[in-house]
Amino acid sequence: MRKCQLIAYVMLALISQSYTISNFAISGGQTVKGTCPDNEYWNNKGFCCDKCHPGFKLKEKCPEPNKRSECVKCENGTYLDNSNHNENCFSCRKCNKDHSIEISPCTFKSNRVCGCEPEYYYKKLGDLAWECSSCKKCGSGQLIAVKCAGEQNTKCQCKENHYAVKGKNLCELCVKCQDECPHLCKSSTPPNPLRSANPTSASGSIPQILVPVGACIMVLALGVFMLYEGIRLWKKKRHALSSQKSSPASEDQTLIITVAPDTEHDESVPFTNQPCGTEQNGKLPDCVPREIKFHEFFYFVLDEVPFGRFKELVRRLGVSEQSIDRAEQDHRNSKDAHYQMLKVWSDSGSGGGNNVLPCHRIQMFVDTLKDMYLVNCADNIESRFLSWDPSTSH
């Protein structure tokens, strides 16, 4: 049995070897089809031929192995950009479209590159078709995000505080609370920071230690605020006491202050917020406050109130959105526009006379600033216009 198996293996080996030798003899010792190097190609005569270089086309194939093919250079207006065995060259592209220009010329090794004139971009319409299309123009309320160049059309985006109008190439200014203007929407109930600290929340548990830490931070902030208010009130009270001690007038004396008449108005205007004593023996009252001109007050306010909080302030004072928009449209300078908003607020009040602000209006202004937590601004305005000092009267 083993002897038969051994004889079978020997016969198979001899058959395999004879098959390989016969194939080699049939092919004449040449390379098998499909195994040519990258710089050669298979000739239908049964051997590999060399390819032509870029810019050259095949004129005659190699007559036998190890013989070179005959190649000729591409004619003007044609090219071949790769090694090849083509018998014809490709025709160069023509830049004959409307508003088209030549970027690089046609050579025997490369095709012509076409582009478009300024204000136009290269738009592909298929594998070979193309055209020069006009660049997109950004509409009202938009600015350029990506410039029009090459194959890229203009891309536009909305300006700050604007939103895109559906179906139109423009953006409009945010003037009210809506989906596109969430920054104008204010929640009526402030979020509770402790409500989100639920350790059993399905969206992800927050460590329980954040709850006492947040409470401590809130208590600390409240304590600092109360301390600041206490120091501020103490300083104000001490200033009032020092002013009373330094006053030369006694309780039995009548303080008479002569106020120079205003060059612009014939009549003096009462300062309605200062307490004045009654007339005695036909003399002047105990206090005659100075006039506060609105332009003096306005320019002081413009330097004190932060720029980013100014619109919030005039809205709280009752100035309408229409008046705010009109002031911004009439004045390109922001400071002039804010001055106009203050003028609208001043004209909407009563009392004080021509070009003069009554004291109760200034007090309302100060209280509004305090409600906005602009305490330093409120204190500066209050000490400048509401703390009467004989040395500052004019």
Side-chain angles (χ1 to χ4, degrees):
M1 184 68 179
R2 290 181 181 179
K3 186 176 181 179
C4 292
Q5 290 178 351
L6 181 58
I7 294 173
Y9 291 149
V10 171
M11 292 296 293
L12 288 174
L14 292 174
I15 293 172
S16 177
Q17 185 175 3
S18 63
Y19 178 78
T20 303
I21 294 172
S22 63
N23 279 346
F24 182 78
I26 293 172
S27 62
Q30 301 299 323
T31 306
V32 180
K33 182 178 179 179
T35 60
C36 295
D38 293 338
N39 62 341
E40 296 180 352
Y41 69 97
W42 181 258
N43 191 343
N44 54 12
K45 294 181 181 181
F47 50 86
C48 292
C49 282
D50 60 310
K51 294 181 180 179
C52 295
H53 294 298
F56 293 83
K57 64 180 179 178
L58 181 65
K59 184 177 181 181
E60 291 291 340
K61 299 178 181 179
C62 60
E64 57 186 53
N66 299 324
K67 296 289 184 178
R68 299 190 62 83
S69 302
E70 183 179 358
C71 302
V72 293
K73 185 178 178 180
C74 292
E75 299 85 357
N76 290 337
T78 62
Y79 76 99
L80 284 172
D81 54 358
N82 292 311
S83 297
N84 64 92
H85 54 94
N86 296 342
E87 296 180 356
N88 296 298
C89 298
F90 299 129
S91 297
C92 287
R93 178 189 296 113
K94 295 181 180 180
C95 301
N96 55 359
K97 305 289 186 180
D98 293 339
H99 307 289
S100 63
I101 57 176
E102 182 180 87
I103 303 299
S104 61
C106 170
T107 68
F108 69 102
K109 288 185 179 181
S110 61
N111 195 5
R112 179 180 287 109
V113 178
C114 300
C116 298
E117 298 174 351
E119 305 300 328
Y120 292 85
Y121 74 99
Y122 188 96
K123 182 179 180 181
K124 291 184 177 180
L125 302 178
D127 294 338
L128 299 177
W130 60 280
E131 67 178 5
C132 288
S133 294
S134 178
C135 293
K136 177 183 177 182
K137 303 292 183 182
C138 293
S140 173
Q142 295 180 335
L143 51 82
I144 297 176
V146 179
K147 292 184 178 180
C148 179
E151 299 184 14
Q152 176 64 60
N153 195 5
T154 306
K155 289 187 178 180
C156 305
Q157 67 181 27
C158 291
K159 295 180 180 178
E160 184 178 1
N161 200 27
H162 287 66
Y163 67 94
V165 180
K166 294 181 179 179
K168 296 182 180 180
N169 183 33
L170 58 88
C171 297
E172 292 187 353
L173 179 68
C174 290
V175 295
K176 63 180 180 179
C177 173
Q178 57 190 43
D179 293 341
E180 298 84 358
C181 304
H183 61 283
L184 296 181
C185 304
K186 295 182 179 179
S187 176
S188 57
T189 57
N192 186 358
L194 300 180
R195 184 177 301 173
S196 61
N198 183 10
T200 61
S201 176
S203 61
S205 61
I206 300 177
Q208 296 184 3
I209 192 173
L210 292 182
V211 177
V213 169
C216 291
I217 292 175
M218 293 178 63
V219 172
L220 181 60
L222 181 61
V224 171
F225 177 77
M226 294 178 65
L227 179 62
Y228 169 81
E229 286 293 317
I231 294 175
R232 187 180 67 84
L233 294 176
W234 174 76
K235 287 183 177 180
K236 187 174 181 180
K237 184 176 180 181
R238 186 180 66 174
H239 177 72
L241 292 175
S242 62
S243 299
Q244 292 178 2
K245 291 180 180 179
S246 60
S247 176
S250 62
E251 294 180 357
D252 297 330
Q253 292 177 329
T254 302
L255 178 63
I256 300 177
I257 301 174
T258 302
V259 180
D262 194 289
T263 58
E264 298 179 359
H265 310 284
D266 296 331
E267 298 181 359
S268 61
V269 182
F271 194 79
T272 57
N273 200 45
Q274 295 288 345
C276 300
T278 59
E279 296 186 5
Q280 295 180 358
N281 300 327
K283 297 182 180 180
L284 291 175
D286 288 345
C287 69
V288 181
R290 69 182 179 92
E291 295 180 348
I292 299 180
K293 300 299 179 65
F294 70 81
H295 60 79
E296 176 187 354
F297 177 75
F298 289 173
Y299 283 120
F300 186 84
V301 167
L302 291 175
D303 292 335
E304 288 292 329
V305 177
F307 180 85
R309 304 291 303 278
F310 202 90
K311 286 188 181 179
E312 179 186 355
L313 171 63
V314 294
R315 288 190 183 103
R316 287 174 177 257
L317 291 173
V319 179
S320 65
E321 292 292 336
Q322 183 179 3
S323 299
I324 294 174
D325 293 341
R326 184 180 297 113
E328 290 182 332
Q329 294 174 1
D330 294 343
H331 302 280
R332 298 181 67 179
N333 186 286
S334 298
K335 195 168 186 179
D336 293 340
H338 292 174
Y339 185 97
Q340 180 65 25
M341 298 174 195
L342 291 174
K343 187 67 169 61
V344 173
W345 166 74
S346 173
D347 294 343
S348 65
S350 60
N354 188 23
N355 296 332
V356 178
L357 276 174
C359 195
H360 72 277
R361 297 280 288 173
I362 298 179
Q363 186 62 52
M364 180 182 71
F365 194 96
V366 171
D367 293 340
T368 302
L369 288 173
K370 291 180 179 180
D371 291 340
M372 295 170 61
Y373 301 103
L374 297 175
V375 181
N376 288 335
C377 298
D379 290 345
N380 293 338
I381 295 173
E382 191 173 22
S383 61
R384 172 69 182 272
F385 296 101
L386 298 183
S387 297
W388 178 77
D389 187 351
S391 63
T392 62
S393 65
H394 54 278

